[in-house]
Amino acid sequence: MYAEERQQAIASLVISQGRASVAELAETYDVTTETVRRDLAVLDRAGLVRRVHGGAVPVRALRLVEPGVGERENTRAEHKDAIAAAAIEFFPLSGASVLLDAGTTTSRIAAALPSDRELNVVTNSVPIAARLAGMPSVSLQLLGGRVRGLTQAAVGEQVLRVLDTLRVDIAFIGTNGISLRHGLSTPDSDEAAVKRAMIASANYVVVAADSSKVGREDFVSFAPLSSIDALITDSELSNAYRKQLTEQGIEVVVA
């Protein structure tokens, strides 16, 4: 195997597995650990993988800067619209309670909220609350607390105290990352605490996230994959990831 072929194979392995150690790669391709480190250096410079201590992870698995709402609003917009349309099938009948997490994908779900049924809606998102406040069929509860300007989401002890008293029929949760090892994750610990409490308050949990989030790991894990009932994502989700998530007992809906 030529060096270029081996490097491409290493990159594919790291991306599919989510990580790989130097020792594992050396054994797999029957080369020395020094050769593997040189290969990883080449792949890192090319932007295909990210070198970490003892091995490598996919580039998208590490995110150090959290984008704001304005930046995320127009990112993968068509995929988010498709996810929102698919989420309509999950909405319960009149009289049920729905929790909407903050986020640009969940904001689109709010915009698609059926107007033919009366729902009790709980959210910590200022934009979602503003959108739903004038909807006659919605009984709205806005969770109050410190609002993070970056995400326009209420966070903090006040939000957590209220969530601890609630039991909702279904929760639509956003996430920055989804992986087998790290579960659902997000960059901010305060938002992670709120998302964790939201999941705990729901009888049924639907994660709404485009496929770029799958395989990514952010700073704070807020829930294991076992806490998810369904994932609504887009058609770019790989068959390998879909199989892995389905094996975890998650209903995967491709919009």
Side-chain angles (χ1 to χ4, degrees):
M1 180 181 287
Y2 292 111
E4 293 81 2
E5 294 175 317
R6 184 180 61 251
Q7 289 161 8
Q8 186 58 52
I10 287 173
S12 298
L13 182 66
V14 171
I15 291 169
S16 64
Q17 289 188 172
R19 65 177 298 164
S21 69
V22 170
E24 173 191 356
L25 293 170
E27 182 177 352
T28 299
Y29 298 104
D30 193 25
V31 293
T32 65
T33 55
E34 289 76 12
T35 297
V36 169
R37 290 190 180 93
R38 285 196 295 270
D39 287 342
L40 293 180
V42 170
L43 293 171
D44 187 285
R45 286 194 296 271
L48 297 176
V49 304
R50 183 70 54 83
R51 291 181 67 188
V52 295
H53 181 70
V57 297
V59 170
R60 70 177 186 178
L62 296 175
R63 181 139 188 142
L64 301 179
V65 179
E66 183 181 6
V69 171
E71 179 184 343
R72 290 184 289 118
E73 184 63 41
N74 297 315
T75 302
R76 299 176 68 84
E78 291 184 4
H79 293 304
K80 293 175 181 178
D81 287 338
I83 290 169
I88 294 174
E89 300 299 321
F90 284 84
F91 276 101
L93 300 176
S94 291
S97 53
V98 176
L99 193 155
L100 290 171
D101 184 18
T104 54
T105 304
T106 49
S107 181
R108 282 172 161 80
I109 293 175
L113 198 74
S115 59
D116 61 349
R117 64 199 77 175
E118 295 184 354
L119 297 170
N120 297 303
V121 178
V122 181
T123 187
N124 70 323
S125 165
V126 174
I128 289 177
R131 180 184 291 274
L132 298 181
M135 206 168 164
S137 59
V138 169
S139 175
L140 178 66
Q141 178 172 347
L142 174 61
L143 298 170
R146 178 179 66 84
V147 176
R148 290 190 72 219
L150 196 63
T151 59
Q152 298 177 33
V155 297
E157 286 299 322
Q158 190 174 344
V159 177
L160 298 178
R161 283 197 300 270
V162 175
L163 285 170
D164 189 49
T165 68
L166 300 182
R167 173 61 62 185
V168 297
D169 294 305
I170 186 168
F172 293 90
I173 303 295
T175 186
N176 296 75
I178 309 170
S179 75
L180 295 181
R181 180 182 61 173
H182 201 48
L184 305 179
S185 57
T186 193
D188 183 75
S189 58
D190 287 336
E191 293 224 25
V194 171
K195 291 175 184 289
R196 190 177 299 117
M198 286 179 167
I199 289 174
S201 74
N203 290 326
Y204 194 86
V205 177
V206 178
V207 172
D210 69 77
S211 59
S212 70
K213 310 295 178 60
V214 181
R216 177 183 295 176
E217 295 179 350
D218 264 289
F219 185 54
V220 185
S221 174
F222 61 86
L225 294 185
S226 59
S227 65
I228 306 171
D229 295 295
L231 167 69
I232 308 177
T233 188
D234 61 71
S235 58
E236 292 184 7
L237 179 71
S238 70
N239 289 332
Y241 277 131
R242 182 172 185 172
K243 182 175 183 291
Q244 290 175 359
L245 293 167
T246 301
E247 287 175 349
Q248 297 297 310
I250 300 169
E251 177 187 0
V252 179
V253 177
V254 176

